[in-house]
């Protein structure tokens, strides 16, 4: 069992003991998503794969928050924001701006060495960055920075 799955299971137990219903619900939903993927793929997931699931859940929460705020549903957006904070606890330490800039520069150099330019370079750079900074940086922000450097 991966370390991250153990941390999540321990957090579920702690939430049960503390009778924290909202936290417990979010963590159980995360556990269900992990279990579903394990059943679908018929294997134990690694920490990297669990991190990818957590990232996907976070992305869904961000999209929901934006939609609820646009629709004027402030209470539901606040609930999604609370769930987002809980999920962020299980991501690795965020990358610093310097680390992000260095990773982008390294990826651009690597792609340029392959002779790829223009729009195809964007995809290749993002693939490199996704591996290098998985769970440590928001991909949409990275995408904007890469676009700025490519143009």
């Amino acid at each position: 069992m991966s370390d991250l799955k153990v941390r999540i299971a321990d957090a579920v137990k702690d939430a049960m003991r503390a009778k924290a219903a909202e936290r417990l619900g979010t963590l159980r939903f995360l556990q269900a998503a992990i279990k579903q993927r394990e059943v679908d793929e018929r294997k134990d997931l690694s920490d990297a794969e669990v991190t990818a699931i957590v990232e996907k859940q976070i992305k869904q929460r961000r999209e929901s928050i934006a939609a609820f705020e646009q629709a004027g549903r402030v209470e539901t957006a606040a609930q999604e924001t609370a769930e987002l904070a809980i999920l962020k606890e299980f991501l690795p330490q965020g990358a610093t701006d310097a680390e992000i800039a260095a990773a982008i520069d390294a990826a651009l150099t690597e792609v340029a060495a392959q002779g790829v330019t223009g729009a195809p370079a964007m995809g290749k750079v993002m693939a490199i960055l996704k591996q290098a900074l998985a769970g440590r940086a928001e991909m949409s922000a990275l995408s904007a920075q890469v676009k700025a450097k490519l143009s």
Side-chain angles (χ1 to χ4, degrees):
M1 187 178 232
S2 75
D3 291 338
L4 191 51
K5 281 177 31 183
V6 170
R7 277 186 44 214
I8 293 168
D10 289 343
V12 167
K13 291 174 193 169
D14 292 341
M16 288 170 74
R17 287 185 195 113
K19 297 187 183 348
E22 290 179 10
R23 181 174 174 80
L24 182 60
T26 302
L27 293 172
R28 282 187 170 162
F29 189 74
L30 177 58
Q31 271 190 320
I34 293 167
K35 188 68 175 172
Q36 181 65 47
R37 179 121 177 250
E38 285 181 333
V39 168
D40 290 347
E41 296 182 10
R42 295 187 177 141
K43 68 173 189 166
D44 255 357
L45 298 179
S46 67
D47 276 349
E49 292 167 318
V50 173
T51 300
I53 292 171
V54 173
E55 285 179 321
K56 184 176 179 181
Q57 295 291 320
I58 287 174
K59 182 179 179 188
Q60 288 174 348
R61 295 304 185 290
R62 284 190 177 124
E63 291 169 356
S64 296
I65 290 166
F68 289 137
E69 286 176 346
Q70 189 175 26
R73 297 178 60 191
V74 180
E75 291 176 13
T76 312
Q79 180 182 355
E80 292 285 323
T81 303
E83 290 181 6
L84 179 66
I86 293 167
L87 291 170
K88 281 185 175 181
E89 294 174 22
F90 298 100
L91 286 180
Q93 182 69 29
T96 64
D97 290 338
E99 289 174 323
I100 291 171
I104 290 173
D105 290 340
L108 287 170
T109 304
E110 183 178 333
V111 170
Q114 296 172 1
V116 181
T117 58
M122 178 74 180
K124 289 193 177 286
V125 168
M126 288 306 295
I128 293 168
L129 291 175
K130 187 164 179 117
Q131 286 183 339
L133 298 172
R136 300 181 59 215
E138 190 177 331
M139 290 299 137
S140 60
L142 286 177
S143 175
Q145 289 178 3
V146 171
K147 275 184 187 175
K149 287 203 177 201
L150 283 175
S151 55

